[in-house]
């Protein structure tokens, strides 16, 4: 009889330990889909944001008062480009602002790339830089998890609202200073790359 009680107690202890372990694993994995690594405010967490920004010391932030190009799309969506900066690491970062001048909420589903392994469903991962003279197209860079080095979580932009956007590309050769910035569903904008 004591063996049976001991066995029952051991099974109960194992079941309790398993339940606690599963609860800890579930808590460590998070609370479900967080929008492709997005914080509740739609911005990338600090770890992703720092990996996608220009790491060179003293790099200027995008000046939202400066306009180097503008793209006007359907339903009152306007993308204003503020800078296209080449950094010493061999990248070009394009910064801008998307504004909804329309009457309906905007989701950037049409601006994503066709790649199936990307996590984010509402990003500007389909953006490209085109060097017309060199006949080359540069795609948005990806991190080691396959996520674009660009704005993600771009959904639910209400009428009258604006959000900053960015995309990082491999840099064209140094002699290339003019490129077309393209987003699916939008007309291209010719921009100057600065150092």
């Amino acid at each position: 009889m004591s063996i049976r009680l001991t066995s029952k107690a051991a099974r109960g202890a194992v079941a309790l330990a398993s339940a606690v372990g599963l609860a800890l694993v579930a808590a460590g994995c998070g609370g479900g889909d967080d929008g492709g690594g997005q914080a509740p405010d739609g911005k990338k967490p600090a770890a992703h944001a720092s990996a996608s920004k220009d790491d060179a010391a003293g790099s200027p932030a995008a000046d939202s008062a400066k306009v180097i190009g503008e793209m006007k799309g359907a339903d009152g969506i306007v993308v204003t480009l503020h800078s296209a900066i080449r950094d010493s690491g061999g990248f070009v970062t394009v910064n801008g602002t998307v504004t909804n001048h329309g009457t309906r909420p905007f989701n950037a589903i049409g601006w994503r790339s066709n790649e199936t392994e990307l996590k984010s469903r509402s990003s500007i991962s389909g953006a490209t830089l085109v060097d017309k003279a060199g006949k080359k197209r540069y795609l948005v860079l990806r991190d080691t998890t396959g996520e674009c080095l660009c704005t993600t979580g771009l959904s639910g932009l209400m009428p009258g609202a604006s959000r900053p956007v960015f995309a990082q590309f491999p840099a064209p050769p140094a002699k290339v200073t003019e490129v077309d910035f393209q987003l699916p569903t939008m007309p291209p904008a010719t921009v100057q790359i600065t150092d």
Side-chain angles (χ1 to χ4, degrees), residues 10-100:
R11 282 194 304 256
V14 168
L16 178 63
S18 296
V20 170
L22 286 174
L24 290 174
V25 168
C29 289
D33 184 11
D34 63 356
Q38 300 306 311
D41 63 359
K43 296 180 182 177
K44 283 197 169 268
H48 286 297
S50 65
S52 60
K53 298 286 184 194
D54 181 6
D55 291 331
S59 295
D63 181 2
S64 61
K66 182 178 176 184
V67 176
I68 64 168
E70 188 173 75
M71 305 159 72
K72 294 182 179 182
D75 298 325
I77 300 302
V78 176
V79 177
T80 305
L81 301 174
H82 305 300
S83 65
I85 301 172
R86 182 190 315 264
D87 70 17
S88 59
F91 307 111
V92 169
T93 303
V94 177
N95 290 289
T97 304
V98 60
T99 304
N100 184 352

Side-chain angles (χ1 to χ4, degrees), residues 7 23 48 58 64 68 82 99 102 104 114 119 122 151 155 174 188 191-193:
S7 295
H48 286 297
S64 61
I68 64 168
H82 305 300
T99 304
R104 301 182 310 189
N114 292 328
K119 296 176 189 173
S122 55
T151 300
S155 62
V191 298
Q192 299 292 321
I193 297 174

Side-chain angles (χ1 to χ4, degrees), residues 79-160:
V79 177
T80 305
L81 301 174
H82 305 300
S83 65
I85 301 172
R86 182 190 315 264
D87 70 17
S88 59
F91 307 111
V92 169
T93 303
V94 177
N95 290 289
T97 304
V98 60
T99 304
N100 184 352
H101 293 290
T103 58
R104 301 182 310 189
F106 172 71
N107 295 310
I109 299 295
W111 291 356
R112 68 177 186 221
S113 68
N114 292 328
E115 298 169 78
T116 57
E117 66 273 0
L118 293 178
K119 296 176 189 173
S120 179
R121 294 280 186 220
S122 55
S123 69
I124 63 170
S125 61
T128 59
L129 285 184
V130 177
D131 170 11
K132 291 186 286 189
K135 298 182 177 161
K136 290 190 178 179
R137 179 180 301 256
Y138 298 89
L139 305 177
V140 174
L141 293 168
R142 305 293 190 258
D143 66 16
T144 56
T145 65
E147 192 64 69
C148 73
L149 296 181
C150 67
T151 300
T152 60
L154 190 57
S155 62
L157 183 63
M158 300 306 286

